[in-house]
Amino acid sequence: MDTTQRTEQQRSADRRRRELLEAADRVVLRDGPQASMNAIAAEAGITKPILYRHFGDKSGLYAALAQRHTDALLNSLRAALDAPADRRERVEATLDTYLAAIEARPQVYRFLMHPAEGSPGGEQGFDVGKHAIPLLRRMGEELAQVIEDRLDLGPGGQQLARVWGHGIVGMMHAAGDWWLGERPCSRAELVRSLADLLWGRLAAAGDKVGGPGF
Amino acid sequence: MDTTQRTEQQRSADRRRRELLEAADRVVLRDGPQASMNAIAAEAGITKPILYRHFGDKSGLYAALAQRHTDALLNSLRAALDAPADRRERVEATLDTYLAAIEARPQVYRFLMHPAEGSPGGEQGFDVGKHAIPLLRRMGEELAQVIEDRLDLGPGGQQLARVWGHGIVGMMHAAGDWWLGERPCSRAELVRSLADLLWGRLAAAGDKVGGPGF
DNA sequence: TCTTGCGTGTTACTAGCGGTAACTCCAGTG
DNA sequence: CACTGGAGTTACCGCTAGTAACACGCAAGA
C-alpha cells in the first residue's frame, strides 16, 4: 500500500496503455475502420483479454483512441481559430487545418467518424445521437463556443451559435469526405469555396439568365 | 421460355421482393441500424437463404432499401427546390423538408447514414469514400446540379456548385443529427438559423465588444 | 402416367466477430 | 517456505454474415 509503489504500478500500467494505443493506431491505419480486437491484440504482441482489461470493451478502446486524435486535432483547430488575423482568414485557416488533417491520415479519421458502433447487447430505440460520433459533436460544440464568445449575435445568440457550430462542422466534414474521395480540386480551392459559401455568396449570386422557367 | 410465362414469374419475384423490402423496413424501424438478417427474414416469415438469393448480401439489401427512401426523399426535396418562390423561401422549404423527414423516421435515416458497412472479405486501404454513404452523396450531387443550373456563378461555377452542394448537405445533415438528439429548439427555428448561416450572417455579424484581447 | 427439370424453401453448417470464465505464471512479502 | 495479486494465457459462449446441400411443389415432355 506504499504510495511510491502504487505510483510505480500505475506508471507501468499507463505505459502499457500507451503502447496498446499505439499498436491500435498502427492497425487502424493499416486495416481501416474494421480493425478487429484480435488484430490489435496481435499487433501489440498480446491477446484479447488484457486488451479488454485495459479498455473495458471495444467502444472503450475506440473512445481512448478517439480522444488522442480528437484532442490533437482540436488543439490545431483552436490555434487556427485564435490566430491574430481577420475573421475570413481565421475561418480559412481553420478549414485548411481540418482538411490537411484528414488528408494526412484518411483511415484514422474514417475510423473516428464511422466507429461501426456495434453494441449488440445494449439499448435500442429512439436514442438517436446518444452514442453518436463524438469527434463531430465536440468540434461542433467547441466551434459554437468560439462563435458565441467572439460574435455579437443579439438575443438568442447562444442557440444560434450552437446551430452554426454543428452546421459548419458538418459542412466541413461532408465536403472534406467527398473531396477526399474524388479530389476534384486543390485543398486551397476547396477552402476558398467553402469560405465563400459561409460568406453568403450563395445568397448573393445572380439568377442564371435563360434559366428553366423563371 | 414463353415471354408471358417469364413475365409472370418476374412479376411474382418482384412482388416477393417488395414484400421482403417492406418487412426489412419494419424491422429497421423497430430495431434500428443493427437489424440482423435473421430478424428481417423472420419478420418476412421466411429464412435467411432466400433473402440472400434476392439481394446477394447485406449491402445489397441495404442498397435496395436505401434506394426506396432515397428516391422518396429526393423527390420531396426536388419539389421544395422547384417551388415557385424566391431563393430564401426555397432554401428554407428544402431544409424543412429534410428535417421533417428525419424527424418522422429517425431510425430509418440513421440506418441510411450509418450502414455499418461491414464488408470483411473485400478491399481495404485508401478507398475512402468509395463505399461511402450514398444518400448524402446523391443529395449533394443533386443539390449541386440545381445550384449550377439556376445560379450564375461565373467561371469555375460547376466546381463551386459541387462543393457547395456537398457542403450544404453536410451542414443540413450534421445540424439535423445534433438537433434530433438534443431538441434544443423548434424545427422552424433551426431552419431559420441555418438559412441565416447560408445568407452570410456569420460574416456580417459584429465582433463582441469587450472580447478576449482584440 | 411417369419423369425431368426448375424455382422455392428449409436445415445445418462454416468462419469470424466481441466478449468472458477459468486457469497459469511469476514477482514481491510475511 | 507459503501466499497473495496482477499479468497473461487457452478455451470457450453467443452472436453475426454468408453458404452448401437437401426437400417440396408444379409445370412441360415422352
Side-chain angles (χ1 to χ4, degrees), chain B residues 20-181:
Chain B
L20 299 187
L21 279 177
E22 278 165 22
D25 239 6
R26 262 171 280 144
V27 175
V28 166
L29 209 98
R30 169 168 27 92
D31 292 356
Q34 72 267 25
S36 81
M37 295 297 268
N38 248 326
I40 294 173
E43 171 70 28
I46 52 166
T47 51
K48 274 194 300 177
I50 75 172
L51 214 55
Y52 279 94
R53 280 222 261 269
H54 271 274
F55 300 105
D57 62 354
K58 188 170 191 175
S59 72
L61 172 60
Y62 159 71
L65 206 54
Q67 189 133 42
R68 295 179 87 202
H69 292 103
T70 302
D71 289 348
L73 179 60
L74 282 175
N75 283 337
S76 304
L77 293 180
R78 266 190 288 261
L81 276 167
D82 284 342
D86 71 9
R87 196 179 299 165
R88 169 84 185 211
E89 280 180 68
R90 282 197 312 247
V91 166
E92 291 199 359
T94 306
L95 290 169
D96 193 65
T97 300
Y98 173 82
L99 294 171
I102 69 168
E103 185 180 26
R105 303 168 181 258
Q107 300 93 331
V108 171
Y109 288 100
R110 267 194 85 70
F111 176 68
L112 293 180
M113 304 297 180
H114 308 291
E117 49 181 294
S119 60
E123 69 289 357
Q124 61 189 19
F126 287 80
D127 59 354
V128 177
K130 191 169 162 196
H131 278 282
I133 311 130
L135 172 54
L136 288 182
R137 291 295 163 92
R138 279 186 68 188
M139 289 199 293
E141 288 295 326
E142 293 241 6
L143 181 55
Q145 197 61 48
V146 170
I147 291 174
E148 188 195 341
D149 287 348
R150 304 267 178 83
L151 266 59
D152 181 17
L153 294 171
Q158 183 176 354
Q159 217 171 65
L160 200 58
R162 294 190 78 204
V163 172
W164 288 2
H166 291 283
I168 292 171
V169 165
M171 178 201 79
M172 192 169 73
H173 166 58
D177 212 43
W178 162 77
W179 171 75
L180 254 180

Side-chain angles (χ1 to χ4, degrees), chain A residues 9 13 16 45-50 53-54:
Chain A
Q9 286 186 358
R16 240 13 143 243
I46 52 165
T47 50
K48 275 194 300 178
I50 76 174
R53 280 222 259 269
H54 271 274

